[in-house]
Amino acid sequence: MASSATPATPTLPKSSSPYIKDKKPIACGKYQGLGVLTYIDPRDKDEVIRERDFVFLRNYPDLHQPVGMLVPNIYRDSRGRWCTILVQQFRPQYEADTIEFPAGFVSRRRAETAEQTAVRELEEETTKTGSVIGPASPPLTSEPVPIAAKLSAVFICARDKDGEEEGQQRLDKGEFTVEWEVPLRELETKLNELRDQHDVVVDPRVWMFAMGIRYAQELEL
């Protein structure tokens, strides 16, 4: 009978911050681990020692480099409307489908740049390719969820694939997504429809994007 070995608990890299007093792993799975931080808030004059649980990624120990890339995007459809491309996929941790921007991990094996990661993830998860239209964001936090990993975002102007890949995704085996083309002016309305009709959970970054568009229209910015 085959047995699955428990992954070895890694040694966490020492913090460069004087306010982090200790980092200890508690448990570890295949990709993620649970640890506890002992720290002092830099604004606490009494220097009270506090503790906080946090999640870390086993294969991405460097907190200073983004491990993943978000791909917010725009796309002009056949009717001339500016849209954004979203993906729907099952996320077991939420026990539901989610609506997200295309996104994924930076390939260290390929030594990818942020821009290369963004285009690759768009091409893998959707029927689109695209061109980068702005610089990558600085590393972004995952707060308020306490995950010790940073993300970055690259904005892309998407377009349909052509040739042999026209209309095709490039998903890994066992990976499934549904692609949505949503007009920007209708984005918040469409997200509410998807929540009501498909019982999905919307990624907060997509929701904030939709709210920003609505308020920009209402305030005539």
Side-chain angles (χ1 to χ4, degrees), residues 60-87:
Y60 293 87
D62 187 353
L63 294 180
H64 302 290
Q65 297 297 322
V67 303
M69 208 59 52
L70 305 170
V71 192
N73 61 84
I74 53 175
Y75 167 80
R76 192 182 286 275
D77 69 8
S78 59
R79 296 168 57 184
R81 301 176 300 178
W82 282 112
C83 303
T84 193
I85 305 300
L86 304 173
V87 292

PDB file of all heavy atoms in Angstrom, residues 60-87:
ATOM      1  N   TYR A  60       8.707  29.718  -2.715  1.00  0.00           N
ATOM      2  CA  TYR A  60       8.970  31.129  -3.003  1.00  0.00           C
ATOM      3  C   TYR A  60       9.316  31.850  -1.698  1.00  0.00           C
ATOM      4  O   TYR A  60       8.504  32.613  -1.160  1.00  0.00           O
ATOM      5  CB  TYR A  60       7.759  31.783  -3.657  1.00  0.00           C
ATOM      6  CG  TYR A  60       7.460  31.271  -5.041  1.00  0.00           C
ATOM      7  CD1 TYR A  60       6.655  30.150  -5.226  1.00  0.00           C
ATOM      8  CD2 TYR A  60       7.976  31.902  -6.167  1.00  0.00           C
ATOM      9  CE1 TYR A  60       6.382  29.672  -6.503  1.00  0.00           C
ATOM     10  CE2 TYR A  60       7.697  31.444  -7.450  1.00  0.00           C
ATOM     11  CZ  TYR A  60       6.900  30.325  -7.606  1.00  0.00           C
ATOM     12  OH  TYR A  60       6.621  29.862  -8.866  1.00  0.00           O
ATOM     13  N   PRO A  61      10.508  31.643  -1.163  1.00  0.00           N
ATOM     14  CA  PRO A  61      10.851  32.208   0.145  1.00  0.00           C
ATOM     15  C   PRO A  61      11.193  33.693   0.129  1.00  0.00           C
ATOM     16  O   PRO A  61      11.194  34.338   1.168  1.00  0.00           O
ATOM     17  CB  PRO A  61      12.076  31.384   0.565  1.00  0.00           C
ATOM     18  CG  PRO A  61      12.722  31.011  -0.736  1.00  0.00           C
ATOM     19  CD  PRO A  61      11.587  30.790  -1.702  1.00  0.00           C
ATOM     20  N   ASP A  62      11.503  34.271  -1.060  1.00  0.00           N
ATOM     21  CA  ASP A  62      11.943  35.664  -1.137  1.00  0.00           C
ATOM     22  C   ASP A  62      10.740  36.593  -1.071  1.00  0.00           C
ATOM     23  O   ASP A  62       9.928  36.660  -2.005  1.00  0.00           O
ATOM     24  CB  ASP A  62      12.720  35.894  -2.433  1.00  0.00           C
ATOM     25  CG  ASP A  62      13.339  37.288  -2.494  1.00  0.00           C
ATOM     26  OD1 ASP A  62      13.060  38.122  -1.607  1.00  0.00           O
ATOM     27  OD2 ASP A  62      14.111  37.542  -3.441  1.00  0.00           O
ATOM     28  N   LEU A  63      10.623  37.323   0.034  1.00  0.00           N
ATOM     29  CA  LEU A  63       9.482  38.223   0.216  1.00  0.00           C
ATOM     30  C   LEU A  63       9.609  39.508  -0.595  1.00  0.00           C
ATOM     31  O   LEU A  63       8.651  40.272  -0.694  1.00  0.00           O
ATOM     32  CB  LEU A  63       9.328  38.592   1.699  1.00  0.00           C
ATOM     33  CG  LEU A  63       8.963  37.455   2.644  1.00  0.00           C
ATOM     34  CD1 LEU A  63       8.850  37.982   4.066  1.00  0.00           C
ATOM     35  CD2 LEU A  63       7.648  36.817   2.216  1.00  0.00           C
ATOM     36  N   HIS A  64      10.755  39.782  -1.164  1.00  0.00           N
ATOM     37  CA  HIS A  64      10.976  41.056  -1.843  1.00  0.00           C
ATOM     38  C   HIS A  64      10.616  41.013  -3.322  1.00  0.00           C
ATOM     39  O   HIS A  64      10.468  42.053  -3.956  1.00  0.00           O
ATOM     40  CB  HIS A  64      12.435  41.485  -1.675  1.00  0.00           C
ATOM     41  CG  HIS A  64      12.848  41.620  -0.249  1.00  0.00           C
ATOM     42  ND1 HIS A  64      12.390  42.635   0.569  1.00  0.00           N
ATOM     43  CD2 HIS A  64      13.654  40.846   0.536  1.00  0.00           C
ATOM     44  CE1 HIS A  64      12.905  42.496   1.773  1.00  0.00           C
ATOM     45  NE2 HIS A  64      13.674  41.419   1.785  1.00  0.00           N
ATOM     46  N   GLN A  65      10.460  39.811  -3.886  1.00  0.00           N
ATOM     47  CA  GLN A  65      10.110  39.675  -5.285  1.00  0.00           C
ATOM     48  C   GLN A  65       8.686  39.138  -5.421  1.00  0.00           C
ATOM     49  O   GLN A  65       8.287  38.234  -4.686  1.00  0.00           O
ATOM     50  CB  GLN A  65      11.085  38.720  -5.983  1.00  0.00           C
ATOM     51  CG  GLN A  65      12.518  39.200  -6.001  1.00  0.00           C
ATOM     52  CD  GLN A  65      12.675  40.493  -6.783  1.00  0.00           C
ATOM     53  OE1 GLN A  65      12.035  40.693  -7.813  1.00  0.00           O
ATOM     54  NE2 GLN A  65      13.527  41.380  -6.289  1.00  0.00           N
ATOM     55  N   PRO A  66       7.910  39.669  -6.366  1.00  0.00           N
ATOM     56  CA  PRO A  66       6.555  39.142  -6.561  1.00  0.00           C
ATOM     57  C   PRO A  66       6.600  37.704  -7.071  1.00  0.00           C
ATOM     58  O   PRO A  66       7.406  37.371  -7.944  1.00  0.00           O
ATOM     59  CB  PRO A  66       5.942  40.086  -7.606  1.00  0.00           C
ATOM     60  CG  PRO A  66       7.100  40.719  -8.288  1.00  0.00           C
ATOM     61  CD  PRO A  66       8.200  40.789  -7.281  1.00  0.00           C
ATOM     62  N   VAL A  67       5.747  36.859  -6.524  1.00  0.00           N
ATOM     63  CA  VAL A  67       5.713  35.454  -6.934  1.00  0.00           C
ATOM     64  C   VAL A  67       4.678  35.208  -8.024  1.00  0.00           C
ATOM     65  O   VAL A  67       4.724  34.194  -8.718  1.00  0.00           O
ATOM     66  CB  VAL A  67       5.420  34.529  -5.732  1.00  0.00           C
ATOM     67  CG1 VAL A  67       6.454  34.731  -4.652  1.00  0.00           C
ATOM     68  CG2 VAL A  67       4.019  34.746  -5.195  1.00  0.00           C
ATOM     69  N   GLY A  68       3.719  36.125  -8.135  1.00  0.00           N
ATOM     70  CA  GLY A  68       2.648  35.940  -9.099  1.00  0.00           C
ATOM     71  C   GLY A  68       2.303  37.237  -9.794  1.00  0.00           C
ATOM     72  O   GLY A  68       2.686  38.332  -9.351  1.00  0.00           O
ATOM     73  N   MET A  69       1.571  37.101 -10.904  1.00  0.00           N
ATOM     74  CA  MET A  69       1.239  38.246 -11.723  1.00  0.00           C
ATOM     75  C   MET A  69      -0.269  38.289 -11.957  1.00  0.00           C
ATOM     76  O   MET A  69      -0.876  37.289 -12.360  1.00  0.00           O
ATOM     77  CB  MET A  69       1.967  38.142 -13.069  1.00  0.00           C
ATOM     78  CG  MET A  69       2.267  39.451 -13.730  1.00  0.00           C
ATOM     79  SD  MET A  69       3.288  40.555 -12.727  1.00  0.00           S
ATOM     80  CE  MET A  69       4.673  39.495 -12.294  1.00  0.00           C
ATOM     81  N   LEU A  70      -0.873  39.448 -11.696  1.00  0.00           N
ATOM     82  CA  LEU A  70      -2.258  39.709 -12.050  1.00  0.00           C
ATOM     83  C   LEU A  70      -2.281  40.346 -13.431  1.00  0.00           C
ATOM     84  O   LEU A  70      -1.400  41.124 -13.770  1.00  0.00           O
ATOM     85  CB  LEU A  70      -2.904  40.660 -11.043  1.00  0.00           C
ATOM     86  CG  LEU A  70      -2.848  40.253  -9.572  1.00  0.00           C
ATOM     87  CD1 LEU A  70      -3.318  41.404  -8.693  1.00  0.00           C
ATOM     88  CD2 LEU A  70      -3.702  39.023  -9.342  1.00  0.00           C
ATOM     89  N   VAL A  71      -3.335  40.053 -14.202  1.00  0.00           N
ATOM     90  CA  VAL A  71      -3.393  40.568 -15.570  1.00  0.00           C
ATOM     91  C   VAL A  71      -4.700  41.328 -15.802  1.00  0.00           C
ATOM     92  O   VAL A  71      -5.606  40.853 -16.506  1.00  0.00           O
ATOM     93  CB  VAL A  71      -3.236  39.433 -16.604  1.00  0.00           C
ATOM     94  CG1 VAL A  71      -3.002  40.016 -17.997  1.00  0.00           C
ATOM     95  CG2 VAL A  71      -2.093  38.506 -16.235  1.00  0.00           C
ATOM     96  N   PRO A  72      -4.855  42.509 -15.199  1.00  0.00           N
ATOM     97  CA  PRO A  72      -5.986  43.365 -15.588  1.00  0.00           C
ATOM     98  C   PRO A  72      -5.822  43.745 -17.056  1.00  0.00           C
ATOM     99  O   PRO A  72      -4.689  43.861 -17.552  1.00  0.00           O
ATOM    100  CB  PRO A  72      -5.865  44.573 -14.655  1.00  0.00           C
ATOM    101  CG  PRO A  72      -4.426  44.597 -14.265  1.00  0.00           C
ATOM    102  CD  PRO A  72      -3.973  43.175 -14.245  1.00  0.00           C
ATOM    103  N   ASN A  73      -6.931  43.939 -17.749  1.00  0.00           N
ATOM    104  CA  ASN A  73      -6.817  44.094 -19.193  1.00  0.00           C
ATOM    105  C   ASN A  73      -8.005  44.838 -19.784  1.00  0.00           C
ATOM    106  O   ASN A  73      -9.062  44.941 -19.145  1.00  0.00           O
ATOM    107  CB  ASN A  73      -6.690  42.713 -19.855  1.00  0.00           C
ATOM    108  CG  ASN A  73      -7.924  41.856 -19.588  1.00  0.00           C
ATOM    109  OD1 ASN A  73      -8.932  41.958 -20.279  1.00  0.00           O
ATOM    110  ND2 ASN A  73      -7.836  41.013 -18.547  1.00  0.00           N
ATOM    111  N   ILE A  74      -7.818  45.324 -21.009  1.00  0.00           N
ATOM    112  CA  ILE A  74      -8.911  45.862 -21.801  1.00  0.00           C
ATOM    113  C   ILE A  74      -8.921  45.152 -23.147  1.00  0.00           C
ATOM    114  O   ILE A  74      -7.892  44.642 -23.598  1.00  0.00           O
ATOM    115  CB  ILE A  74      -8.793  47.391 -21.998  1.00  0.00           C
ATOM    116  CG1 ILE A  74      -7.419  47.758 -22.560  1.00  0.00           C
ATOM    117  CG2 ILE A  74      -9.102  48.127 -20.708  1.00  0.00           C
ATOM    118  CD1 ILE A  74      -7.271  49.229 -22.902  1.00  0.00           C
ATOM    119  N   TYR A  75     -10.100  45.114 -23.772  1.00  0.00           N
ATOM    120  CA  TYR A  75     -10.266  44.386 -25.026  1.00  0.00           C
ATOM    121  C   TYR A  75     -11.417  45.029 -25.791  1.00  0.00           C
ATOM    122  O   TYR A  75     -12.484  45.266 -25.224  1.00  0.00           O
ATOM    123  CB  TYR A  75     -10.577  42.918 -24.718  1.00  0.00           C
ATOM    124  CG  TYR A  75     -11.087  42.106 -25.890  1.00  0.00           C
ATOM    125  CD1 TYR A  75     -10.217  41.606 -26.845  1.00  0.00           C
ATOM    126  CD2 TYR A  75     -12.446  41.839 -26.028  1.00  0.00           C
ATOM    127  CE1 TYR A  75     -10.681  40.852 -27.915  1.00  0.00           C
ATOM    128  CE2 TYR A  75     -12.924  41.086 -27.090  1.00  0.00           C
ATOM    129  CZ  TYR A  75     -12.042  40.599 -28.033  1.00  0.00           C
ATOM    130  OH  TYR A  75     -12.503  39.862 -29.087  1.00  0.00           O
ATOM    131  N   ARG A  76     -11.196  45.356 -27.079  1.00  0.00           N
ATOM    132  CA  ARG A  76     -12.266  45.926 -27.893  1.00  0.00           C
ATOM    133  C   ARG A  76     -12.958  44.801 -28.660  1.00  0.00           C
ATOM    134  O   ARG A  76     -12.326  44.105 -29.460  1.00  0.00           O
ATOM    135  CB  ARG A  76     -11.719  46.973 -28.866  1.00  0.00           C
ATOM    136  CG  ARG A  76     -12.831  47.795 -29.535  1.00  0.00           C
ATOM    137  CD  ARG A  76     -12.279  48.792 -30.526  1.00  0.00           C
ATOM    138  NE  ARG A  76     -11.654  49.934 -29.910  1.00  0.00           N
ATOM    139  CZ  ARG A  76     -12.315  51.034 -29.510  1.00  0.00           C
ATOM    140  NH1 ARG A  76     -13.625  51.101 -29.627  1.00  0.00           N
ATOM    141  NH2 ARG A  76     -11.649  52.049 -28.986  1.00  0.00           N
ATOM    142  N   ASP A  77     -14.269  44.623 -28.400  1.00  0.00           N
ATOM    143  CA  ASP A  77     -14.982  43.505 -29.025  1.00  0.00           C
ATOM    144  C   ASP A  77     -15.431  43.855 -30.437  1.00  0.00           C
ATOM    145  O   ASP A  77     -15.146  44.940 -30.964  1.00  0.00           O
ATOM    146  CB  ASP A  77     -16.153  43.056 -28.141  1.00  0.00           C
ATOM    147  CG  ASP A  77     -17.292  44.080 -28.065  1.00  0.00           C
ATOM    148  OD1 ASP A  77     -17.264  45.080 -28.810  1.00  0.00           O
ATOM    149  OD2 ASP A  77     -18.227  43.857 -27.267  1.00  0.00           O
ATOM    150  N   SER A  78     -16.129  42.920 -31.077  1.00  0.00           N
ATOM    151  CA  SER A  78     -16.519  43.085 -32.482  1.00  0.00           C
ATOM    152  C   SER A  78     -17.513  44.219 -32.684  1.00  0.00           C
ATOM    153  O   SER A  78     -17.704  44.685 -33.813  1.00  0.00           O
ATOM    154  CB  SER A  78     -17.110  41.773 -33.008  1.00  0.00           C
ATOM    155  OG  SER A  78     -18.247  41.394 -32.238  1.00  0.00           O
ATOM    156  N   ARG A  79     -18.148  44.678 -31.604  1.00  0.00           N
ATOM    157  CA  ARG A  79     -19.083  45.803 -31.690  1.00  0.00           C
ATOM    158  C   ARG A  79     -18.409  47.120 -31.346  1.00  0.00           C
ATOM    159  O   ARG A  79     -19.067  48.153 -31.249  1.00  0.00           O
ATOM    160  CB  ARG A  79     -20.273  45.549 -30.761  1.00  0.00           C
ATOM    161  CG  ARG A  79     -21.096  44.338 -31.156  1.00  0.00           C
ATOM    162  CD  ARG A  79     -22.080  43.933 -30.083  1.00  0.00           C
ATOM    163  NE  ARG A  79     -22.986  45.010 -29.708  1.00  0.00           N
ATOM    164  CZ  ARG A  79     -23.887  44.914 -28.743  1.00  0.00           C
ATOM    165  NH1 ARG A  79     -23.990  43.776 -28.048  1.00  0.00           N
ATOM    166  NH2 ARG A  79     -24.689  45.919 -28.453  1.00  0.00           N
ATOM    167  N   GLY A  80     -17.102  47.076 -31.128  1.00  0.00           N
ATOM    168  CA  GLY A  80     -16.369  48.299 -30.827  1.00  0.00           C
ATOM    169  C   GLY A  80     -16.417  48.727 -29.379  1.00  0.00           C
ATOM    170  O   GLY A  80     -15.954  49.823 -29.044  1.00  0.00           O
ATOM    171  N   ARG A  81     -16.939  47.872 -28.506  1.00  0.00           N
ATOM    172  CA  ARG A  81     -17.041  48.217 -27.088  1.00  0.00           C
ATOM    173  C   ARG A  81     -15.754  47.843 -26.355  1.00  0.00           C
ATOM    174  O   ARG A  81     -15.188  46.770 -26.611  1.00  0.00           O
ATOM    175  CB  ARG A  81     -18.223  47.490 -26.445  1.00  0.00           C
ATOM    176  CG  ARG A  81     -19.564  47.790 -27.051  1.00  0.00           C
ATOM    177  CD  ARG A  81     -20.646  46.936 -26.411  1.00  0.00           C
ATOM    178  NE  ARG A  81     -20.381  45.507 -26.596  1.00  0.00           N
ATOM    179  CZ  ARG A  81     -21.156  44.546 -26.103  1.00  0.00           C
ATOM    180  NH1 ARG A  81     -22.221  44.860 -25.388  1.00  0.00           N
ATOM    181  NH2 ARG A  81     -20.859  43.271 -26.314  1.00  0.00           N
ATOM    182  N   TRP A  82     -15.312  48.698 -25.443  1.00  0.00           N
ATOM    183  CA  TRP A  82     -14.178  48.352 -24.588  1.00  0.00           C
ATOM    184  C   TRP A  82     -14.670  47.421 -23.491  1.00  0.00           C
ATOM    185  O   TRP A  82     -15.611  47.731 -22.766  1.00  0.00           O
ATOM    186  CB  TRP A  82     -13.539  49.597 -24.008  1.00  0.00           C
ATOM    187  CG  TRP A  82     -12.654  50.311 -24.976  1.00  0.00           C
ATOM    188  CD1 TRP A  82     -12.866  51.526 -25.542  1.00  0.00           C
ATOM    189  CD2 TRP A  82     -11.406  49.827 -25.502  1.00  0.00           C
ATOM    190  NE1 TRP A  82     -11.839  51.850 -26.404  1.00  0.00           N
ATOM    191  CE2 TRP A  82     -10.922  50.816 -26.391  1.00  0.00           C
ATOM    192  CE3 TRP A  82     -10.656  48.669 -25.326  1.00  0.00           C
ATOM    193  CZ2 TRP A  82      -9.728  50.688 -27.097  1.00  0.00           C
ATOM    194  CZ3 TRP A  82      -9.465  48.529 -26.018  1.00  0.00           C
ATOM    195  CH2 TRP A  82      -9.015  49.522 -26.885  1.00  0.00           C
ATOM    196  N   CYS A  83     -14.030  46.281 -23.403  1.00  0.00           N
ATOM    197  CA  CYS A  83     -14.404  45.234 -22.451  1.00  0.00           C
ATOM    198  C   CYS A  83     -13.194  44.892 -21.589  1.00  0.00           C
ATOM    199  O   CYS A  83     -12.090  45.422 -21.778  1.00  0.00           O
ATOM    200  CB  CYS A  83     -14.856  43.977 -23.180  1.00  0.00           C
ATOM    201  SG  CYS A  83     -16.228  44.215 -24.330  1.00  0.00           S
ATOM    202  N   THR A  84     -13.417  43.992 -20.640  1.00  0.00           N
ATOM    203  CA  THR A  84     -12.312  43.341 -19.938  1.00  0.00           C
ATOM    204  C   THR A  84     -12.542  41.843 -19.990  1.00  0.00           C
ATOM    205  O   THR A  84     -13.696  41.378 -20.055  1.00  0.00           O
ATOM    206  CB  THR A  84     -12.173  43.832 -18.486  1.00  0.00           C
ATOM    207  OG1 THR A  84     -10.912  43.407 -17.948  1.00  0.00           O
ATOM    208  CG2 THR A  84     -13.289  43.319 -17.589  1.00  0.00           C
ATOM    209  N   ILE A  85     -11.463  41.080 -19.994  1.00  0.00           N
ATOM    210  CA  ILE A  85     -11.532  39.622 -20.072  1.00  0.00           C
ATOM    211  C   ILE A  85     -11.341  39.057 -18.664  1.00  0.00           C
ATOM    212  O   ILE A  85     -10.337  39.325 -18.004  1.00  0.00           O
ATOM    213  CB  ILE A  85     -10.444  39.055 -21.004  1.00  0.00           C
ATOM    214  CG1 ILE A  85     -10.527  39.716 -22.387  1.00  0.00           C
ATOM    215  CG2 ILE A  85     -10.570  37.538 -21.119  1.00  0.00           C
ATOM    216  CD1 ILE A  85     -11.848  39.517 -23.099  1.00  0.00           C
ATOM    217  N   LEU A  86     -12.316  38.269 -18.227  1.00  0.00           N
ATOM    218  CA  LEU A  86     -12.278  37.643 -16.906  1.00  0.00           C
ATOM    219  C   LEU A  86     -12.333  36.129 -17.063  1.00  0.00           C
ATOM    220  O   LEU A  86     -12.787  35.624 -18.093  1.00  0.00           O
ATOM    221  CB  LEU A  86     -13.454  38.116 -16.047  1.00  0.00           C
ATOM    222  CG  LEU A  86     -13.591  39.623 -15.855  1.00  0.00           C
ATOM    223  CD1 LEU A  86     -14.893  39.944 -15.129  1.00  0.00           C
ATOM    224  CD2 LEU A  86     -12.396  40.191 -15.102  1.00  0.00           C
ATOM    225  N   VAL A  87     -11.880  35.421 -16.054  1.00  0.00           N
ATOM    226  CA  VAL A  87     -11.964  33.960 -16.072  1.00  0.00           C
ATOM    227  C   VAL A  87     -12.733  33.480 -14.857  1.00  0.00           C
ATOM    228  O   VAL A  87     -12.627  34.035 -13.756  1.00  0.00           O
ATOM    229  CB  VAL A  87     -10.565  33.293 -16.118  1.00  0.00           C
ATOM    230  CG1 VAL A  87      -9.895  33.574 -17.443  1.00  0.00           C
ATOM    231  CG2 VAL A  87      -9.684  33.753 -14.978  1.00  0.00           C
TER     232      VAL A  87
END
